[in-house]
Amino acid sequence: MPIRVQLDRVLLDRRMSLTELADRVGVTLANLSILKTGKARAMRFSTLDALCRELNCQPGDILVFEPGPPDADEGEAE
Amino acid sequence: MRAMGPGSVSSLLKVALDVVHVVLWIAIGGLLLITIASLIVPLPGEWTADLGEGAGVELTPLKIAPIFAGAAGYTAILLFVVRQLRRVFATLTAGDPFHPDNFSRLRLIGAGLAALEIANMLSPVALAWLLGASTQEGRGIDLTAWFSVLVVFVLAEVFREGARLRREAELTI
């Protein structure tokens, strides 16, 4: 997917573990892991809001657009 | 009464399907046994079939065996449909109707029902040919049955979309 999640980089900058972030944000560790590994298909504004608040960052710090071909299963959504 | 989950209508229907499943296995076993027995064991006395054409047709083992083999085949298709239906109902009982496999199961059910309907249409012709009857009229096209087959295929597509939406929801963080 052209949208890449840079959660690992932001976490490294903040010296915060994924488990700690999961506790603070109120999202399960499994779901945050899906997000971090780029397997997520969509993100709620409420999740993005909580992440930005806890990591003290902007949405653009977490999400980056990288031009490239879409995933094979993305076409099914339309 | 709830439609899905443990103790629901779905679970009751699944129990009914379990019973039908066992009965169909017994029926197939019985029909195959009769097929084999009709070839091995000689018929006691003379057996004739009345086809409404005056004189009856003499039934020989080579005429009886294919009839029972055909019936076993028909029952096997029915069993296949019931097996797929049981699996669909198992997911309904578990409260997971949009299981990713239900789409292909419903398509298989549709294919099975279509095969049964074709068998229904062709069986009179096959039977008449086997027994050497002069009239070989097949059953006409049953629009209700074919419409039901179509509905099952449409339902399969609905379940595919449901499974896709479920996956999307699962991967929405």
Side-chain angles (χ1 to χ4, degrees):
Chain A
M1 198 190 293
I3 300 291
R4 198 159 59 82
V5 181
Q6 299 196 121
L7 198 57
D8 46 356
R9 218 191 69 187
V10 181
L11 283 170
L12 196 69
D13 289 346
R14 309 289 188 277
R15 299 190 189 287
M16 193 188 288
S17 70
L18 200 65
T19 313
E20 189 185 344
L21 182 65
D23 285 342
R24 285 197 192 187
V25 172
V27 175
T28 63
L29 186 60
N31 277 346
L32 267 192
S33 185
I34 288 171
L35 191 65
K36 199 185 90 167
T37 52
K39 289 176 188 162
R41 295 291 300 268
M43 193 189 215
R44 291 188 187 90
F45 277 137
S46 57
T47 308
L48 191 59
D49 174 64
L51 286 174
C52 289
R53 185 175 297 122
E54 292 304 324
L55 294 168
N56 193 25
C57 66
Q58 291 297 313
D61 297 329
I62 299 171
L63 304 172
V64 179
F65 174 74
E66 283 182 349
D71 285 349
D73 60 340
E74 255 183 284
E76 288 175 21
E78 284 149 30
Chain B
M1 200 172 187
R2 291 176 302 142
M4 281 187 300
S8 63
V9 177
S10 303
S11 63
L12 282 178
L13 285 173
K14 192 186 170 294
V15 172
L17 283 171
D18 288 346
V19 174
V20 172
H21 186 246
V22 172
V23 169
L24 285 175
W25 267 117
I26 294 168
I28 288 176
L31 286 167
L32 287 176
L33 273 177
I34 294 170
T35 306
I36 296 165
S38 64
L39 289 171
I40 299 168
V41 184
L43 288 171
E46 261 195 20
W47 286 40
T48 54
D50 184 15
L51 299 177
E53 296 174 345
V57 177
E58 191 191 341
L59 292 175
T60 60
L62 284 176
K63 284 179 180 174
I64 292 174
I67 293 171
F68 281 102
Y74 186 90
T75 315
I77 300 172
L78 205 57
L79 178 72
F80 173 76
V81 170
V82 170
R83 272 174 79 96
Q84 299 302 322
L85 211 51
R86 278 177 73 222
R87 289 175 183 160
V88 170
F89 271 90
T91 61
L92 294 183
T93 306
D96 183 20
F98 294 115
H99 190 279
D101 292 341
N102 276 356
F103 153 67
S104 50
R105 285 170 187 156
L106 280 170
R107 284 188 83 163
L108 288 173
I109 289 169
L113 290 176
L116 286 175
E117 189 49 29
I118 290 170
N120 279 336
M121 286 166 66
L122 296 181
S123 57
V125 179
L127 199 63
W129 174 78
L130 201 66
L131 297 176
S134 55
T135 52
Q136 297 188 353
E137 279 183 22
R139 212 191 72 181
I141 294 172
D142 185 351
L143 284 178
T144 310
W146 284 109
F147 185 73
S148 307
V149 171
L150 191 69
V151 166
V152 173
F153 278 113
V154 170
L155 263 179
E157 290 303 315
V158 171
F159 271 73
R160 178 159 77 163
E161 184 63 10
R164 189 189 68 74
L165 288 174
R166 189 189 83 156
R167 183 163 165 72
E168 286 251 323
E170 277 174 357
L171 292 177
T172 298
I173 313 298

